[in-house]
Structures are given as C-alpha cells and as structure tokens.
Amino acid sequence: MRRHTFLSFCFLSLSFAVANALHFYLDANEKRCFIEELPTDTVVEGHYRALEWSEPQQAYISDDKLGIHVDVEEVESGESVVKTKGPSEGRFTFTSHDAGDHSICLSTNYTSWFSSTHIRLYLDIVVGKTKANIEQDRSHVSELASKVRDLNQKLEDIRREQQYQREREADYRNLSEATNGRAVWYSVAQIMVLILTCAWQLRHLKRFFEDRQMR
C-alpha cells in the first residue's frame, strides 16, 4: 500500500518576503506534503531539484527519467491551486486566493509500489509580499503624476518670478547708475559754479583795491 507521509511545518506569519530552503529524502512511491499558512493574495514561488540514488556510483545523481509531481491545495476548502508534472528540476508558482493553510505535496513519477529507488529532494520556497493591487497602483501612479505636474507648475511659477525679479533688478540698477551719473554731473556743475564765483569775486576785489589805490 502506498505510503503517505504528511509533515506540518514552516508556520509563517508573513509581512515581507521569506525564503525556506531545505532538503529531504523520499522513496520512489512516497509523497511528502508541507503546510504553509498564507495571507490572502500572496505570491509563492518554489524551486525543487531531485537526485536519484545510484548504486554503481554510490551517490545521488541527476536522472532525466525522474520527474516530480507538485500538488498544492487549500486545506480548508480542498480546492486545488497547483497540479503540475515537471522534470527532476523545475519551478512552480501560485497565488493564495484565501487566507489559511495550504498543502504543498511533492512526489515522483515512479509509480511502482515495489520500487526501491531513493530520492534526495531539494526544495526552496519563497513566500512573497501580498500581490499588488493594480487599480490602486494605477491610482497611485496617477496621483504621483498629478503631483509631479503641480510641482512642475510651481517650478515654472518660481522661474517666472525669478525672471521678473531679475528684470526689476536690472531696471533698478540702470536707474541707480543713471541717478549716480546725474549726481556726478551735478557735483561737477556745482564745482564749476564755485570756481567761477571765486574767480569773479577775486576779480571784483582786485578792481576794488585798484580803485582805492588810485584815489
């Protein structure tokens, strides 16, 4: 009678990606099952590699004839999630539809009850983050795009304001330079007036003293 060994382990409460890597042994007609407790809409990826015992070589070797069956089902509902038949090395992926325990079972394609073939099976299970909500992502992207547009508009307003301030600064600079130029010419004109006034006064005093000497 075909043996069925059911092992329960790897009880995980997941909020981030977790990888479980292990290896175990089973006979050709044996089936091994594992339990993963998963949240809703969680992506699970598995990679397996099976090696068959070789008596002549006294080692576990790869055999192209060896295949692996993968069966995944929800424990509570009994609904089949994955049912695949692959080579001795392969991958499987599924997404949990409901939260709860999921049974992951692996067996070989050898069906003889009297087979004495021994298998070493390597299994790596990666439980990922909750599946992305596409609509929410699109909404989030649209919101980001809107914020980027608003930011670009504000940057454009700031650029125009800076350009206006630079133009005003140039106008004030030109006005200041013109005012300074006028002030310089006004000062020069005042100096010339003072010089002329002094010259006229000196001339007038000279005539005044000459007239007094003549008397």
Side-chain angles (χ1 to χ4, degrees), residues 49-119:
R49 179 169 176 260
L51 301 177
E52 184 176 344
W53 175 257
S54 172
E55 287 292 342
Q57 299 183 28
Q58 290 294 299
Y60 286 95
I61 62 173
S62 178
D63 187 352
D64 294 336
K65 297 180 181 179
L66 177 61
I68 298 297
H69 296 179
V70 179
D71 296 322
V72 180
E73 66 177 27
E74 295 179 354
V75 175
E76 183 175 353
S77 64
E79 178 183 355
S80 179
V81 180
V82 174
K83 194 175 187 66
T84 64
K85 299 178 182 180
S88 60
E89 182 174 0
R91 293 178 180 272
F92 61 90
T93 304
F94 68 92
T95 302
S96 61
H97 301 295
D98 297 319
D101 292 338
H102 287 68
S103 172
I104 304 174
C105 298
L106 298 98
S107 59
T108 69
N109 58 345
Y110 296 156
T111 57
S112 174
W113 292 355
F114 305 101
S115 175
S116 59
T117 303
H118 299 287
I119 307 298

Side-chain angles (χ1 to χ4, degrees), residues 28-41:
N29 58 352
E30 189 176 3
K31 186 176 184 180
R32 288 290 180 90
C33 295
F34 308 95
I35 294 295
E36 285 285 350
E37 183 179 7
L38 303 172
T40 305
D41 290 333

Side-chain angles (χ1 to χ4, degrees), residues 139-189:
S139 175
H140 184 60
V141 170
S142 300
E143 183 179 354
L144 287 178
S146 177
K147 289 183 178 180
V148 169
R149 286 194 297 269
D150 292 342
L151 182 59
N152 288 334
Q153 183 63 40
K154 290 180 181 179
L155 291 175
E156 183 65 21
D157 294 340
I158 293 174
R159 189 190 66 81
R160 285 197 296 267
E161 180 66 22
Q162 290 179 338
Q163 181 65 27
Y164 174 68
Q165 293 297 335
R166 283 195 293 267
E167 291 175 357
R168 290 189 61 187
E169 182 182 357
D171 293 339
Y172 284 134
R173 184 173 61 252
N174 293 335
L175 180 61
S176 297
E177 290 176 354
T179 302
N180 290 334
R182 294 190 188 97
V184 170
W185 285 111
Y186 180 73
S187 299
V188 171

